[in-house]
Amino acid sequence: MKLRSGLKVLVGLSTCLVAVAANANVITLYGDWTSPPPGAQITYTADDDRGQLTCSVGCQALLSSLPTGIYDPEVPNVSTADGFSASMGDLFWLANDSLASELGFLNAVVDPDLVTGTKTDGGGAENISFTSAARYILLKIGADPNIALIYNPSGLEQTYSYSGFAGEGAGLSHYTAFGPPEISVPEPGSLALLGLGLIGIGVVSRRRPA
């Protein structure tokens, strides 16, 4: 009876730890400029939102403090003074969607040492999910402005689920992963679960008749 109660406690603790280990968040992506820019400034209202991105482990999106939030490869002065946010992100404008153009954006904004990326076709779908352990991901979204920069602070593989708002020109053209996947280190919750499992095995072994 005691053994059964002990196992119930272990299962309960495991469930709680799994819930704590998950840090999923939803980011709303905003952008309302004309094509080509510049245009109206982002106001972070329902009139400007283009879609949402859900991250299974936890991610952030770049915000800009520029008046129009526009990136020009000839004047790489995108400001990251507002940093990254776990709840909202800006869409930036690139003249073309070549890998070189996207790489130039990242080199100017976050990491001058990045040398390449891997593009994956999204087919213009308004709803799409994919997994990646890349440190940075660029989402090419429909009409201008068209680039969202996503940051994966954990370096762990996670699932990204994008949902574009109908009628907003928000289909996902492609996404590009930058930065080599980092070695996945077990999360604290996973390590705790492993420890509880070993404790459970020890309890069962001790209760087993000789």
Side-chain angles (χ1 to χ4, degrees):
M1 193 70 177
K2 289 183 179 179
L3 175 60
R4 188 174 299 173
S5 298
L7 290 176
K8 285 183 178 179
V9 171
L10 286 174
V11 170
L13 287 173
S14 299
T15 302
C16 291
L17 286 170
V18 168
V20 170
N23 295 308
N25 63 297
V26 179
I27 295 174
T28 301
L29 301 172
Y30 295 87
D32 64 345
W33 303 290
T34 58
S35 176
Q41 187 175 0
I42 289 177
T43 57
Y44 303 112
T45 67
D47 293 333
D48 300 335
D49 55 9
R50 296 275 290 280
Q52 291 184 324
L53 182 72
T54 301
C55 309
S56 63
V57 175
C59 67
Q60 301 170 13
L62 178 64
L63 294 173
S64 172
S65 63
L66 286 180
T68 54
I70 293 166
Y71 168 78
D72 183 337
E74 296 181 358
V75 188
N77 60 350
V78 172
S79 169
T80 57
D82 291 336
F84 288 81
S85 168
S87 61
M88 64 176 65
D90 291 345
L91 293 181
F92 299 85
W93 183 83
L94 292 184
N96 63 71
D97 59 3
S98 68
L99 181 57
S101 181
E102 294 181 348
L103 185 60
F105 176 82
L106 260 76
N107 287 160
V109 175
V110 291
D111 190 344
D113 297 324
L114 292 171
V115 295
T116 190
T118 302
K119 294 176 69 170
T120 302
D121 185 11
E126 289 185 347
N127 293 280
I128 188 171
S129 295
F130 60 92
T131 59
S132 177
R135 184 59 87 176
Y136 298 103
I137 295 175
L138 277 183
L139 304 178
K140 166 65 170 65
I141 298 173
D144 297 326
N146 51 20
I147 290 291
L149 173 57
I150 307 302
Y151 173 50
N152 176 6
S154 72
L156 299 173
E157 182 174 84
Q158 61 180 310
T159 298
Y160 298 88
S161 298
Y162 173 74
S163 178
F165 298 145
E168 297 292 335
L172 185 66
S173 173
H174 70 260
Y175 59 91
T176 309
F178 294 89
E182 301 199 356
I183 298 174
S184 294
V185 178
E187 298 176 71
S190 300
L191 292 174
L193 287 175
L194 176 60
L196 286 174
L198 293 174
I199 292 173
I201 292 174
V203 171
V204 172
S205 299
R206 291 183 62 183
R207 302 288 296 184
R208 188 176 295 165

